[in-house]
Amino acid sequence: MGPASERTRVRRHPERADYDRQAALAVLDEALVCHLGLVDGGVPYVIPTMYARQGDVLYVHGSPASRMLRTAASGLEVCLTVTLVDGLVLARAAFSHSTNYRAVGVLGRAVEVTDPEEKMAAFEALVEHVCRGRWADARRPEPKELNATKVLRLDLTEMSTKVRAGGPRDQEADLGLPVWAGVIPLRVLRGAAIPDGAAADLTTPAYVFEYSRPGWS
Ligand SMILES: Cc1cc2nc3c(=O)[nH]c(=O)nc-3n(C[C@H](O)[C@H](O)[C@H](O)COP(=O)(O)OP(=O)(O)OC[C@H]3O[C@@H](n4cnc5c(N)ncnc54)[C@H](O)[C@@H]3O)c2cc1C
């Protein structure tokens, strides 16, 4: 990623900025949901949606009727954020409570993907982002399904990563208070898979019962 642009330089708590590209990509690869922020007709709005990274671009997709996708494809600047919450930081003072997180923000102009080959590659990236190994088993999209889906590409050129880690940072004077302080780590957990219909008679793929995200230990 290199040095941040003037727009993506973290000013508040600059020590929490991480301009290493790999750090940003690790967050993007681990998380599942992004929030896409736009201004449509002067009205700002933020919509959560799935995404996938392929090299130096992100793909988002959805119904051609989606206002989010139509607006984003119109050439306006968009802001896309991805957040992983790693823990709740309980300080002795209410004021000093915080959250441990890794977050990435991307700025740019999204472009609609119309090339059929790239669109298919984006579909693969989206399916594989959700569940690695799934593309090989799932039925491939038919032309009418490709036509019924809008895919946008956003280059990863202007982005920032901000990370908070560690324990509470209480004021010196509060350290002696008889109040529990520390971190409640949080993480996403895989539950037991629930087969649908006749899938109960099939062997459960390893990517289901061993499901994990990049970065999970
Ligand atoms: C889970 C979570 C909870 C948070 N809770 C709070 C809270 O309760 N109160 C609060 O004030 N802040 C909170 N933050 C931090 C918040 O996201 C902002 O970083 C902070 O409010 C400073 O905003 P700013 O506009 O002054 O940032 P500035 O430093 O002025 O922003 C400049 C540029 O830095 C980048 N940037 C800023 N913040 C982030 C970020 N989080 N991730 C990636 N890039 C970023 C953007 O490119 C932005 O344009 C939280 C963050 C996360 C992820």
Side-chain angles (χ1 to χ4, degrees), residues 129-163:
H129 180 79
V130 171
C131 182
R132 277 172 298 170
R134 186 64 175 165
W135 184 252
D137 289 351
R139 176 181 64 71
R140 300 291 153 90
E142 292 172 348
K144 68 169 190 244
E145 292 170 326
L146 285 175
N147 290 336
T149 309
K150 206 188 217 8
V151 176
L152 304 188
R153 180 183 63 235
L154 180 63
D155 289 346
L156 293 173
T157 45
E158 197 176 0
M159 62 179 172
S160 52
T161 309
K162 193 168 174 182
V163 177

Side-chain angles (χ1 to χ4, degrees), residues 7-12 83 85 99 101 103-105 160 162:
R7 300 196 304 177
T8 54
R9 185 170 55 79
V10 175
R11 296 165 178 81
R12 175 98 189 107
T83 308
V85 177
T99 309
Y101 61 80
V104 171
S160 52
K162 193 168 174 182

